[in-house]
Amino acid sequence: MHQDLYDVAIIGCGPAGLQAAIHAASKKAEVIVFGRARKSGLYKAHIANFCCYERPISGKDLLQAGRKQAESFDAAFVEEDVIETKNENNLFSLVTESGNTFTSRTLILCLGVTRKKLRVKGEKELVGRGVSYCVDCDANFYRGLDVAVVGNESAAAIGAVTLLSYAKTVYLICRELTITDTLYEKLKNSNVKIIKDTWVKEVIGTNEVEGVLLKNGEALKVNGIFVERGAKSALELAANLGVLFDTETVSFIEINKKQETNIPGLYAAGDITGQPWQIAKAVGEGCVAGIEAAEYAKKLAGD
Amino acid sequence: MGQGVLDVDDNNFESEILKADKPALVDFWAPWCGPCKAIGPAIKELEETYGNSIVFARCNVDNSPNTPTQYSIRAIPTLILFQDGKVVDQVVGAVPKSHLEELVKKVL
């Protein structure tokens, strides 16, 4: 875990990421996996249609077994979200939520798909007029204004801290934060006003956002609300690396049969490459991506 | 096939978009914006199909602060469809290509 350069870095530790880790590590590649298992869509699921398991199995049990298996092949795990990705000189560098940087010859994106929207009254109507889904994209439009960020994980916490450089007041609305201690300290020592144990009930405004109504009955007067659920999305992490998405939906990463994206050394597997969202498809793609990435890294290391 | 996606800014926005003899679709974007990058190929494809009847343009909000303010833009990517100098409709975010195509068809 403390080495300078990995062969294969994997973002996401659901079935695609785990299978990729197992195959890459069993090929003797140095593997590192990022993410939290409980955020996989599989974690709370019971699976009844996965080959060779006749009786329904718990997703949590599968994920825990998969991690142990990957670790037995010496894959390293970091239970943090990746917040920044860069691709320079044939190497990928990843920054995690607590600020550590990791470098790898290849990168496999197994980010899954997350629900971005809150689905509350007023949200849809005011998108682009105060409702935003991307702090990095839109912070600059809120200079000197009051804003709220909604979310429980790294994207919300980092988003709130980022917004302090632009907005006058920044609120962070969350049920309970799932972030590293380092990030929590950073947040606590900042001017972000944290409002815990509640959630957004309604976005208020006619032509533009005027405020938000919370489930605890509180009303906040804000000019903008940033919905930042989960970790940074594929659109932000991958698109910044120049990865092509399918033009029809702009939701899924385009890959070939080797799970390669349009960027050399960059692979994608699992739900992020499109439907069907099934564990069987995820592990199949993860297997291919893991093998391909390990081989690519070996070639690169030999040069 | 049209002329490719035209870069516009605060200085030429009026002449190229508002006074254009064709309707125009303007993509307000920035180079560091992931979702903006993601919809780039879809816009290029639409330009190849409809570029003869519609001006496809993009405006970098970093270099042109006035135009986005004028149109109350608070999020990127925002795509605004103009005809005869007036806003016909707009969409926000990295929306599917079919969604953009519906937008474009409003002025065809």
Side-chain angles (χ1 to χ4, degrees), chain A residues 150-208:
Chain A
V150 198
N152 298 314
E153 292 162 31
S154 62
I158 288 161
V161 174
T162 304
L163 276 162
L164 283 174
S165 316
Y166 301 88
K168 195 169 78 191
T169 319
V170 181
Y171 300 97
L172 173 58
I173 303 159
C174 56
R175 289 198 178 101
E176 192 184 3
L177 287 170
T178 311
I179 54 177
T180 59
D181 293 345
T182 316
L183 182 54
Y184 186 72
E185 281 302 309
K186 194 173 171 189
L187 189 66
K188 222 178 62 183
N189 294 328
S190 76
N191 285 323
V192 172
K193 296 180 200 299
I194 306 174
I195 305 176
K196 262 203 246 182
D197 300 320
T198 189
W199 202 243
V200 172
K201 192 178 169 194
E202 188 183 333
V203 181
I204 300 159
T206 34
N207 278 322
E208 53 182 28

Short mmCIF file of all heavy atoms in Angstrom, two decimals, chain A residues 150-208:
data_model
loop_
_atom_site.label_atom_id
_atom_site.label_comp_id
_atom_site.label_asym_id
_atom_site.label_seq_id
_atom_site.Cartn_x
_atom_site.Cartn_y
_atom_site.Cartn_z
N VAL A 150 -26.16 19.32 -0.58
CA VAL A 150 -26.87 18.18 0.01
C VAL A 150 -26.14 16.90 -0.33
O VAL A 150 -25.83 16.65 -1.50
CB VAL A 150 -28.29 18.01 -0.59
CG1 VAL A 150 -29.13 17.14 0.34
CG2 VAL A 150 -28.94 19.33 -0.82
N GLY A 151 -25.86 16.08 0.68
CA GLY A 151 -25.22 14.80 0.43
C GLY A 151 -24.54 14.29 1.68
O GLY A 151 -24.26 15.08 2.60
N ASN A 152 -24.25 13.01 1.73
CA ASN A 152 -23.68 12.38 2.93
C ASN A 152 -22.24 11.91 2.76
O ASN A 152 -21.64 11.41 3.68
CB ASN A 152 -24.53 11.15 3.31
CG ASN A 152 -25.95 11.53 3.65
OD1 ASN A 152 -26.15 12.48 4.40
ND2 ASN A 152 -26.91 10.83 3.10
N GLU A 153 -21.72 12.04 1.54
CA GLU A 153 -20.41 11.43 1.28
C GLU A 153 -19.38 12.44 0.79
O GLU A 153 -19.58 13.64 0.91
CB GLU A 153 -20.60 10.25 0.33
CG GLU A 153 -21.38 9.13 1.03
CD GLU A 153 -21.99 8.12 0.07
OE1 GLU A 153 -21.39 7.89 -0.98
OE2 GLU A 153 -23.05 7.58 0.38
N SER A 154 -18.28 11.89 0.23
CA SER A 154 -17.13 12.75 -0.06
C SER A 154 -17.44 13.89 -1.02
O SER A 154 -16.95 15.00 -0.84
CB SER A 154 -15.99 11.89 -0.62
OG SER A 154 -16.37 11.26 -1.83
N ALA A 155 -18.26 13.63 -2.04
CA ALA A 155 -18.51 14.68 -3.03
C ALA A 155 -19.17 15.90 -2.37
O ALA A 155 -18.84 17.04 -2.69
CB ALA A 155 -19.39 14.16 -4.17
N ALA A 156 -20.08 15.65 -1.43
CA ALA A 156 -20.77 16.75 -0.75
C ALA A 156 -19.80 17.50 0.17
O ALA A 156 -19.76 18.73 0.18
CB ALA A 156 -21.95 16.22 0.04
N ALA A 157 -19.01 16.75 0.94
CA ALA A 157 -18.09 17.37 1.90
C ALA A 157 -17.04 18.22 1.17
O ALA A 157 -16.79 19.37 1.53
CB ALA A 157 -17.41 16.30 2.74
N ILE A 158 -16.46 17.66 0.12
CA ILE A 158 -15.44 18.39 -0.63
C ILE A 158 -16.08 19.55 -1.38
O ILE A 158 -15.53 20.64 -1.46
CB ILE A 158 -14.69 17.43 -1.58
CG1 ILE A 158 -13.78 16.55 -0.72
CG2 ILE A 158 -13.85 18.19 -2.59
CD1 ILE A 158 -13.33 15.31 -1.39
N GLY A 159 -17.26 19.30 -1.91
CA GLY A 159 -17.99 20.35 -2.62
C GLY A 159 -18.24 21.55 -1.72
O GLY A 159 -18.06 22.70 -2.13
N ALA A 160 -18.64 21.29 -0.48
CA ALA A 160 -18.93 22.38 0.46
C ALA A 160 -17.67 23.19 0.74
O ALA A 160 -17.70 24.42 0.73
CB ALA A 160 -19.51 21.81 1.75
N VAL A 161 -16.54 22.49 0.95
CA VAL A 161 -15.28 23.19 1.22
C VAL A 161 -14.86 24.01 0.00
O VAL A 161 -14.44 25.17 0.12
CB VAL A 161 -14.17 22.19 1.63
CG1 VAL A 161 -12.83 22.90 1.77
CG2 VAL A 161 -14.54 21.48 2.94
N THR A 162 -15.01 23.43 -1.20
CA THR A 162 -14.68 24.16 -2.43
C THR A 162 -15.50 25.43 -2.56
O THR A 162 -14.99 26.50 -2.92
CB THR A 162 -14.96 23.26 -3.67
OG1 THR A 162 -14.22 22.05 -3.52
CG2 THR A 162 -14.56 23.95 -4.96
N LEU A 163 -16.79 25.32 -2.24
CA LEU A 163 -17.70 26.47 -2.41
C LEU A 163 -17.36 27.64 -1.49
O LEU A 163 -17.73 28.78 -1.77
CB LEU A 163 -19.14 26.01 -2.19
CG LEU A 163 -19.81 25.40 -3.42
CD1 LEU A 163 -21.03 24.59 -3.02
CD2 LEU A 163 -20.20 26.47 -4.43
N LEU A 164 -16.63 27.37 -0.39
CA LEU A 164 -16.25 28.44 0.52
C LEU A 164 -15.42 29.51 -0.18
O LEU A 164 -15.45 30.68 0.20
CB LEU A 164 -15.45 27.88 1.71
CG LEU A 164 -16.22 27.17 2.81
CD1 LEU A 164 -15.27 26.58 3.80
CD2 LEU A 164 -17.20 28.12 3.50
N SER A 165 -14.68 29.12 -1.22
CA SER A 165 -13.85 30.09 -1.95
C SER A 165 -14.70 30.99 -2.85
O SER A 165 -14.19 31.93 -3.43
CB SER A 165 -12.82 29.40 -2.81
OG SER A 165 -12.23 28.35 -2.11
N TYR A 166 -15.96 30.65 -3.02
CA TYR A 166 -16.81 31.43 -3.93
C TYR A 166 -17.98 32.08 -3.19
O TYR A 166 -18.19 33.28 -3.28
CB TYR A 166 -17.37 30.52 -5.04
CG TYR A 166 -16.32 29.85 -5.87
CD1 TYR A 166 -15.78 28.63 -5.49
CD2 TYR A 166 -15.86 30.45 -7.04
CE1 TYR A 166 -14.80 28.01 -6.25
CE2 TYR A 166 -14.89 29.84 -7.81
CZ TYR A 166 -14.36 28.61 -7.42
OH TYR A 166 -13.41 28.02 -8.17
N ALA A 167 -18.75 31.25 -2.49
CA ALA A 167 -20.01 31.72 -1.92
C ALA A 167 -19.80 32.45 -0.60
O ALA A 167 -18.76 32.32 0.04
CB ALA A 167 -20.94 30.53 -1.72
N LYS A 168 -20.81 33.23 -0.18
CA LYS A 168 -20.74 33.96 1.09
C LYS A 168 -20.98 33.00 2.25
O LYS A 168 -20.25 32.98 3.22
CB LYS A 168 -21.79 35.07 1.08
CG LYS A 168 -21.59 36.11 2.16
CD LYS A 168 -22.49 37.32 1.94
CE LYS A 168 -23.90 37.01 2.40
NZ LYS A 168 -24.90 38.00 2.00
N THR A 169 -22.05 32.21 2.14
CA THR A 169 -22.38 31.24 3.18
C THR A 169 -22.57 29.87 2.54
O THR A 169 -23.18 29.77 1.47
CB THR A 169 -23.72 31.60 3.87
OG1 THR A 169 -23.76 33.01 4.06
CG2 THR A 169 -23.88 30.87 5.19
N VAL A 170 -22.02 28.84 3.17
CA VAL A 170 -22.18 27.48 2.65
C VAL A 170 -22.76 26.57 3.74
O VAL A 170 -22.17 26.43 4.81
CB VAL A 170 -20.85 26.89 2.15
CG1 VAL A 170 -21.05 25.49 1.59
CG2 VAL A 170 -20.19 27.78 1.11
N TYR A 171 -23.92 26.01 3.47
CA TYR A 171 -24.51 25.02 4.37
C TYR A 171 -24.27 23.63 3.79
O TYR A 171 -24.27 23.46 2.58
CB TYR A 171 -26.03 25.21 4.48
CG TYR A 171 -26.46 26.55 5.01
CD1 TYR A 171 -26.82 27.57 4.13
CD2 TYR A 171 -26.54 26.78 6.37
CE1 TYR A 171 -27.24 28.81 4.61
CE2 TYR A 171 -26.95 28.01 6.87
CZ TYR A 171 -27.30 29.02 5.98
OH TYR A 171 -27.71 30.24 6.46
N LEU A 172 -24.10 22.66 4.67
CA LEU A 172 -24.03 21.27 4.22
C LEU A 172 -25.15 20.51 4.91
O LEU A 172 -25.18 20.38 6.13
CB LEU A 172 -22.67 20.65 4.56
CG LEU A 172 -22.52 19.14 4.31
CD1 LEU A 172 -22.78 18.79 2.85
CD2 LEU A 172 -21.13 18.66 4.71
N ILE A 173 -26.10 20.04 4.10
CA ILE A 173 -27.25 19.32 4.63
C ILE A 173 -27.01 17.83 4.45
O ILE A 173 -26.78 17.37 3.34
CB ILE A 173 -28.54 19.74 3.89
CG1 ILE A 173 -28.73 21.27 4.00
CG2 ILE A 173 -29.75 18.99 4.43
CD1 ILE A 173 -29.63 21.84 2.95
N CYS A 174 -27.02 17.09 5.57
CA CYS A 174 -26.73 15.67 5.48
C CYS A 174 -27.48 14.89 6.54
O CYS A 174 -27.88 15.46 7.56
CB CYS A 174 -25.23 15.43 5.62
SG CYS A 174 -24.57 16.12 7.14
N ARG A 175 -27.68 13.62 6.28
CA ARG A 175 -28.27 12.76 7.31
C ARG A 175 -27.16 12.38 8.28
O ARG A 175 -27.24 12.59 9.47
CB ARG A 175 -28.87 11.51 6.66
CG ARG A 175 -30.12 11.83 5.87
CD ARG A 175 -30.93 10.56 5.61
NE ARG A 175 -32.14 10.91 4.90
CZ ARG A 175 -32.32 10.78 3.60
NH1 ARG A 175 -31.37 10.28 2.85
NH2 ARG A 175 -33.44 11.13 3.02
N GLU A 176 -26.12 11.80 7.72
CA GLU A 176 -24.96 11.37 8.50
C GLU A 176 -23.80 11.29 7.52
O GLU A 176 -23.95 10.73 6.44
CB GLU A 176 -25.22 9.99 9.10
CG GLU A 176 -24.23 9.59 10.12
CD GLU A 176 -24.47 8.16 10.61
OE1 GLU A 176 -25.39 7.50 10.09
OE2 GLU A 176 -23.74 7.73 11.46
N LEU A 177 -22.65 11.84 7.90
CA LEU A 177 -21.54 11.87 6.95
C LEU A 177 -20.75 10.56 6.96
O LEU A 177 -20.37 10.08 8.02
CB LEU A 177 -20.61 13.03 7.26
CG LEU A 177 -21.14 14.43 6.92
CD1 LEU A 177 -20.23 15.49 7.50
CD2 LEU A 177 -21.27 14.61 5.41
N THR A 178 -20.52 10.01 5.77
CA THR A 178 -19.63 8.85 5.64
C THR A 178 -18.39 9.32 4.90
O THR A 178 -18.32 9.26 3.68
CB THR A 178 -20.32 7.73 4.85
OG1 THR A 178 -21.62 7.52 5.40
CG2 THR A 178 -19.53 6.43 4.92
N ILE A 179 -17.44 9.85 5.64
CA ILE A 179 -16.20 10.35 5.04
C ILE A 179 -15.03 9.99 5.96
O ILE A 179 -15.24 9.60 7.10
CB ILE A 179 -16.24 11.89 4.84
CG1 ILE A 179 -16.60 12.61 6.15
CG2 ILE A 179 -17.24 12.27 3.75
CD1 ILE A 179 -16.58 14.13 6.06
N THR A 180 -13.82 10.16 5.46
CA THR A 180 -12.65 9.83 6.30
C THR A 180 -12.50 10.88 7.40
O THR A 180 -12.99 12.00 7.30
CB THR A 180 -11.35 9.83 5.47
OG1 THR A 180 -11.19 11.13 4.90
CG2 THR A 180 -11.38 8.79 4.37
N ASP A 181 -11.78 10.49 8.47
CA ASP A 181 -11.55 11.41 9.58
C ASP A 181 -10.82 12.66 9.11
O ASP A 181 -11.10 13.77 9.57
CB ASP A 181 -10.71 10.72 10.68
CG ASP A 181 -11.51 9.59 11.33
OD1 ASP A 181 -12.74 9.56 11.14
OD2 ASP A 181 -10.89 8.75 12.02
N THR A 182 -9.86 12.48 8.20
CA THR A 182 -9.09 13.61 7.69
C THR A 182 -10.01 14.63 7.04
O THR A 182 -9.91 15.84 7.29
CB THR A 182 -8.06 13.14 6.64
OG1 THR A 182 -7.45 11.96 7.13
CG2 THR A 182 -7.03 14.19 6.34
N LEU A 183 -10.90 14.14 6.19
CA LEU A 183 -11.83 15.04 5.51
C LEU A 183 -12.80 15.67 6.51
O LEU A 183 -13.13 16.85 6.41
CB LEU A 183 -12.59 14.27 4.41
CG LEU A 183 -13.57 15.07 3.57
CD1 LEU A 183 -12.91 16.30 2.94
CD2 LEU A 183 -14.15 14.20 2.45
N TYR A 184 -13.20 14.90 7.52
CA TYR A 184 -14.12 15.44 8.52
C TYR A 184 -13.46 16.58 9.30
O TYR A 184 -14.09 17.61 9.55
CB TYR A 184 -14.59 14.33 9.48
CG TYR A 184 -15.66 14.83 10.42
CD1 TYR A 184 -16.94 15.11 9.97
CD2 TYR A 184 -15.37 15.07 11.76
CE1 TYR A 184 -17.91 15.62 10.82
CE2 TYR A 184 -16.32 15.58 12.62
CZ TYR A 184 -17.60 15.84 12.15
OH TYR A 184 -18.55 16.35 12.99
N GLU A 185 -12.20 16.41 9.64
CA GLU A 185 -11.46 17.45 10.36
C GLU A 185 -11.40 18.73 9.52
O GLU A 185 -11.61 19.83 10.01
CB GLU A 185 -10.03 16.98 10.68
CG GLU A 185 -9.95 16.04 11.87
CD GLU A 185 -10.51 16.67 13.15
OE1 GLU A 185 -10.12 17.79 13.50
OE2 GLU A 185 -11.37 16.02 13.80
N LYS A 186 -11.11 18.55 8.25
CA LYS A 186 -11.00 19.67 7.33
C LYS A 186 -12.33 20.43 7.27
O LYS A 186 -12.37 21.66 7.30
CB LYS A 186 -10.64 19.12 5.94
CG LYS A 186 -10.16 20.16 4.95
CD LYS A 186 -9.68 19.49 3.68
CE LYS A 186 -9.39 20.50 2.61
NZ LYS A 186 -9.12 19.85 1.32
N LEU A 187 -13.39 19.67 7.21
CA LEU A 187 -14.73 20.24 7.13
C LEU A 187 -15.08 20.97 8.43
O LEU A 187 -15.60 22.08 8.41
CB LEU A 187 -15.72 19.10 6.88
CG LEU A 187 -17.16 19.45 6.56
CD1 LEU A 187 -17.25 20.16 5.22
CD2 LEU A 187 -18.00 18.17 6.52
N LYS A 188 -14.74 20.33 9.56
CA LYS A 188 -15.09 20.88 10.87
C LYS A 188 -14.34 22.18 11.13
O LYS A 188 -14.86 23.09 11.75
CB LYS A 188 -14.74 19.85 11.95
CG LYS A 188 -15.81 19.73 13.03
CD LYS A 188 -15.45 18.67 14.06
CE LYS A 188 -14.17 18.99 14.79
NZ LYS A 188 -13.79 17.94 15.74
N ASN A 189 -13.10 22.25 10.63
CA ASN A 189 -12.29 23.45 10.85
C ASN A 189 -12.57 24.54 9.82
O ASN A 189 -11.92 25.58 9.82
CB ASN A 189 -10.81 23.09 10.83
CG ASN A 189 -10.45 22.19 11.99
OD1 ASN A 189 -11.05 22.29 13.06
ND2 ASN A 189 -9.50 21.30 11.77
N SER A 190 -13.49 24.29 8.93
CA SER A 190 -13.80 25.29 7.90
C SER A 190 -15.04 26.09 8.33
O SER A 190 -15.62 25.84 9.39
CB SER A 190 -14.09 24.60 6.57
OG SER A 190 -15.38 24.02 6.59
N ASN A 191 -15.44 27.02 7.49
CA ASN A 191 -16.63 27.82 7.81
C ASN A 191 -17.93 27.21 7.30
O ASN A 191 -18.97 27.87 7.31
CB ASN A 191 -16.47 29.22 7.24
CG ASN A 191 -15.50 30.04 8.06
OD1 ASN A 191 -15.48 29.92 9.28
ND2 ASN A 191 -14.68 30.84 7.39
N VAL A 192 -17.87 25.98 6.83
CA VAL A 192 -19.09 25.33 6.36
C VAL A 192 -20.03 25.10 7.55
O VAL A 192 -19.61 24.62 8.59
CB VAL A 192 -18.77 23.97 5.69
CG1 VAL A 192 -20.05 23.20 5.37
CG2 VAL A 192 -17.94 24.18 4.43
N LYS A 193 -21.29 25.50 7.38
CA LYS A 193 -22.28 25.29 8.44
C LYS A 193 -22.97 23.95 8.20
O LYS A 193 -23.73 23.80 7.25
CB LYS A 193 -23.31 26.42 8.43
CG LYS A 193 -22.71 27.79 8.74
CD LYS A 193 -23.80 28.84 8.72
CE LYS A 193 -23.28 30.23 8.54
NZ LYS A 193 -22.41 30.79 9.51
N ILE A 194 -22.66 22.99 9.08
CA ILE A 194 -23.19 21.64 8.89
C ILE A 194 -24.55 21.51 9.55
O ILE A 194 -24.71 21.84 10.73
CB ILE A 194 -22.22 20.58 9.46
CG1 ILE A 194 -20.82 20.78 8.85
CG2 ILE A 194 -22.72 19.17 9.18
CD1 ILE A 194 -19.75 19.89 9.45
N ILE A 195 -25.54 21.05 8.79
CA ILE A 195 -26.87 20.77 9.35
C ILE A 195 -27.11 19.28 9.22
O ILE A 195 -27.33 18.76 8.13
CB ILE A 195 -27.96 21.58 8.62
CG1 ILE A 195 -27.61 23.07 8.64
CG2 ILE A 195 -29.33 21.31 9.25
CD1 ILE A 195 -28.56 23.94 7.86
N LYS A 196 -27.02 18.57 10.38
CA LYS A 196 -27.06 17.11 10.36
C LYS A 196 -28.44 16.54 10.63
O LYS A 196 -29.34 17.26 11.08
CB LYS A 196 -26.09 16.58 11.44
CG LYS A 196 -24.74 16.19 10.86
CD LYS A 196 -24.07 15.20 11.78
CE LYS A 196 -22.82 15.85 12.39
NZ LYS A 196 -22.08 14.94 13.25
N ASP A 197 -28.56 15.24 10.43
CA ASP A 197 -29.77 14.47 10.76
C ASP A 197 -31.03 14.97 10.05
O ASP A 197 -32.14 14.85 10.57
CB ASP A 197 -30.04 14.49 12.28
CG ASP A 197 -28.88 13.89 13.04
OD1 ASP A 197 -28.33 12.88 12.56
OD2 ASP A 197 -28.50 14.43 14.08
N THR A 198 -30.87 15.57 8.88
CA THR A 198 -32.06 15.98 8.14
C THR A 198 -31.78 15.89 6.63
O THR A 198 -30.69 15.45 6.23
CB THR A 198 -32.51 17.39 8.57
OG1 THR A 198 -33.78 17.66 7.96
CG2 THR A 198 -31.52 18.46 8.16
N TRP A 199 -32.76 16.29 5.85
CA TRP A 199 -32.63 16.17 4.40
C TRP A 199 -33.50 17.24 3.76
O TRP A 199 -34.30 17.88 4.45
CB TRP A 199 -33.09 14.76 3.98
CG TRP A 199 -32.57 14.28 2.66
CD1 TRP A 199 -33.31 13.97 1.55
CD2 TRP A 199 -31.20 14.03 2.29
NE1 TRP A 199 -32.50 13.55 0.53
CE2 TRP A 199 -31.20 13.58 0.95
CE3 TRP A 199 -29.98 14.17 2.95
CZ2 TRP A 199 -30.02 13.25 0.26
CZ3 TRP A 199 -28.80 13.84 2.27
CH2 TRP A 199 -28.84 13.39 0.95
N VAL A 200 -33.37 17.42 2.46
CA VAL A 200 -34.17 18.43 1.78
C VAL A 200 -35.58 17.90 1.51
O VAL A 200 -35.74 16.77 1.04
CB VAL A 200 -33.50 18.85 0.46
CG1 VAL A 200 -34.42 19.76 -0.34
CG2 VAL A 200 -32.18 19.53 0.74
N LYS A 201 -36.57 18.71 1.84
CA LYS A 201 -37.95 18.31 1.58
C LYS A 201 -38.45 18.96 0.30
O LYS A 201 -39.18 18.36 -0.48
CB LYS A 201 -38.81 18.75 2.77
CG LYS A 201 -40.18 18.15 2.77
CD LYS A 201 -40.94 18.60 4.01
CE LYS A 201 -42.40 18.24 3.90
NZ LYS A 201 -43.19 18.95 4.90
N GLU A 202 -38.03 20.20 0.09
CA GLU A 202 -38.53 20.93 -1.06
C GLU A 202 -37.57 22.05 -1.44
O GLU A 202 -36.95 22.65 -0.58
CB GLU A 202 -39.90 21.52 -0.69
CG GLU A 202 -40.64 22.15 -1.84
CD GLU A 202 -41.97 22.78 -1.40
OE1 GLU A 202 -42.56 22.32 -0.39
OE2 GLU A 202 -42.41 23.71 -2.08
N VAL A 203 -37.45 22.29 -2.74
CA VAL A 203 -36.68 23.43 -3.21
C VAL A 203 -37.68 24.54 -3.50
O VAL A 203 -38.66 24.32 -4.23
CB VAL A 203 -35.86 23.10 -4.47
CG1 VAL A 203 -35.05 24.31 -4.91
CG2 VAL A 203 -34.95 21.90 -4.23
N ILE A 204 -37.44 25.72 -2.93
CA ILE A 204 -38.41 26.80 -3.07
C ILE A 204 -37.91 27.87 -4.03
O ILE A 204 -36.72 28.22 -4.02
CB ILE A 204 -38.70 27.43 -1.69
CG1 ILE A 204 -39.27 26.36 -0.76
CG2 ILE A 204 -39.69 28.58 -1.79
CD1 ILE A 204 -39.13 26.70 0.70
N GLY A 205 -38.81 28.37 -4.85
CA GLY A 205 -38.46 29.45 -5.78
C GLY A 205 -39.39 29.45 -6.96
O GLY A 205 -39.94 28.41 -7.32
N THR A 206 -39.56 30.62 -7.57
CA THR A 206 -40.41 30.67 -8.76
C THR A 206 -39.55 30.67 -10.01
O THR A 206 -39.51 29.68 -10.73
CB THR A 206 -41.37 31.88 -8.72
OG1 THR A 206 -40.72 32.96 -8.07
CG2 THR A 206 -42.64 31.53 -7.99
N ASN A 207 -38.81 31.76 -10.25
CA ASN A 207 -37.94 31.79 -11.42
C ASN A 207 -36.54 31.27 -11.13
O ASN A 207 -35.84 30.82 -12.03
CB ASN A 207 -37.83 33.20 -11.98
CG ASN A 207 -39.03 33.52 -12.85
OD1 ASN A 207 -39.50 32.64 -13.58
ND2 ASN A 207 -39.52 34.73 -12.73
N GLU A 208 -36.14 31.37 -9.89
CA GLU A 208 -34.85 30.85 -9.47
C GLU A 208 -34.94 30.41 -8.01
O GLU A 208 -35.91 30.75 -7.33
CB GLU A 208 -33.73 31.87 -9.68
CG GLU A 208 -34.00 33.21 -9.04
CD GLU A 208 -32.89 34.20 -9.31
OE1 GLU A 208 -32.22 34.11 -10.35
OE2 GLU A 208 -32.69 35.08 -8.46
#
